[in-house]
Amino acid sequence: DQQVKQNSPSLSVQEGRISILNCDYTNSMFDYFLWYKKYPAEGPTFLISISSIKDKNEDGRFTVFLNKSAKHLSLHIVPSQPGDSAVYFCAASDSGGGADGLTFGKGTHLIIQP
Amino acid sequence: DVKVTQSSRYLVKRTGEKVFLECVQDMDHENMFWYRQDPGLGLRLIYFSYDVKMKEKGDIPEGYSVSREKKERFSLILESASTNQTSMYLCASSPTRRRLDYEQYFGPGTRLTVT
């Protein structure tokens, strides 16, 4: 049973517009959420995170929103740039702590069109 | 900067061979992880370790084992490689077991092909 779901395998957005990537989760024990970005032939790199005690976290062009009642989070990138083209993974962790691994979604391939 | 290195970027092995994938981190992190990434399946946790000589099974440990003899090094072992273990293998580390240290740092990955 998939606990972290990214239902859009790919997303195409024009350069300069807003990119919105969505993620849903089913495990109510998850209390920390992260977004990772991955280029081909490279390891994922951490982008932004949010604790369940917050509903929004912002870092430059990147904002993550968390809706706990809906078990839904989203990553907003504005404005989108060509270098943002990558696969984005949503990940979650429960109260077991950071040592117990993360549960990842299947990823969304974001393509920024010039 | 945290650095996680993996011994090989690309590896080709034959069915039945014993395969060792090595991972080293240079930031004195307590926790280390092995994932595999497959198209349409995302990243799946194979094994993790939160201390030297400690190991815990992840979601898909079958066919794999691990070794952590030193804090900085975490090895993934395929005892008898099979074609369904053809995948991208990613090693990661994170600082401690404290609640807020969830961020994991990944190595560049090893693309393993089993023929």
Side-chain angles (χ1 to χ4, degrees):
Chain A
D1 182 31
Q2 207 183 342
Q3 298 186 71
V4 177
K5 299 177 185 178
Q6 294 178 257
N7 291 319
S8 299
S10 67
L11 176 67
S12 186
V13 174
Q14 228 173 352
E15 183 179 354
R17 307 290 287 265
I18 183 171
S19 296
I20 300 176
L21 294 91
N22 293 304
C23 178
D24 297 291
Y25 62 96
T26 56
N27 187 344
S28 56
M29 296 300 292
F30 287 147
D31 62 357
Y32 200 78
F33 304 90
L34 307 89
W35 284 94
Y36 280 82
K37 175 179 178 180
K38 187 181 185 298
Y39 293 118
E42 292 184 15
T45 54
F46 170 73
L47 200 56
I48 192 169
S49 62
I50 188 166
S51 163
S52 60
I53 62 173
K54 295 185 175 182
D55 55 18
K56 178 183 173 181
N57 189 26
E58 195 171 349
D59 184 3
R61 297 187 297 114
F62 302 92
T63 303
V64 56
F65 295 92
L66 176 62
N67 182 334
K68 280 187 296 183
S69 61
K71 292 191 176 71
H72 175 84
L73 62 154
S74 61
L75 174 69
H76 292 214
I77 306 172
V78 57
S80 300
Q81 298 175 354
D84 296 330
S85 294
V87 177
Y88 290 78
F89 291 99
C90 173
S93 182
D94 65 21
S95 303
D100 296 334
L102 297 171
T103 301
F104 284 84
K106 292 183 179 182
T108 296
H109 185 194
L110 176 65
I111 302 160
I112 305 301
Q113 307 274 12
Chain B
D1 268 359
V2 176
K3 195 163 184 185
V4 180
T5 56
Q6 295 183 229
S7 51
S8 305
R9 292 300 301 271
Y10 300 94
L11 212 51
V12 180
K13 295 292 181 180
R14 294 192 183 274
T15 301
E17 276 193 83
K18 191 169 186 175
V19 182
F20 292 87
L21 302 182
E22 304 284 340
C23 175
V24 177
Q25 49 93 4
D26 66 357
M27 285 301 292
D28 202 34
H29 284 177
E30 293 183 7
N31 311 318
M32 296 188 75
F33 309 85
W34 275 105
Y35 295 88
R36 63 179 280 179
Q37 184 199 358
D38 300 289
L41 295 177
L43 275 72
R44 294 179 292 167
L45 182 64
I46 305 171
Y47 267 97
F48 61 98
S49 167
Y50 53 84
D51 203 353
V52 175
K53 297 196 184 294
M54 303 295 291
K55 60 184 179 183
E56 297 284 345
K57 292 180 180 179
D59 300 318
I60 52 164
E62 297 79 18
Y64 303 94
S65 62
V66 290
S67 172
R68 193 159 180 209
E69 296 296 320
K70 293 184 178 181
K71 190 175 185 180
E72 68 272 17
R73 189 178 297 270
F74 193 36
S75 303
L76 179 70
I77 304 156
L78 287 66
E79 295 290 342
S80 177
S82 63
T83 55
N84 63 11
Q85 292 178 310
T86 290
S87 187
M88 168 72 88
Y89 289 88
L90 293 158
C91 176
S93 69
S94 67
T96 73
R97 298 205 74 173
R98 292 199 313 269
R99 279 183 64 84
L100 296 180
D101 289 328
Y102 288 4
E103 181 184 334
Q104 294 183 11
Y105 299 85
F106 283 83
T110 296
R111 169 71 64 187
L112 173 66
T113 302
V114 182
T115 60

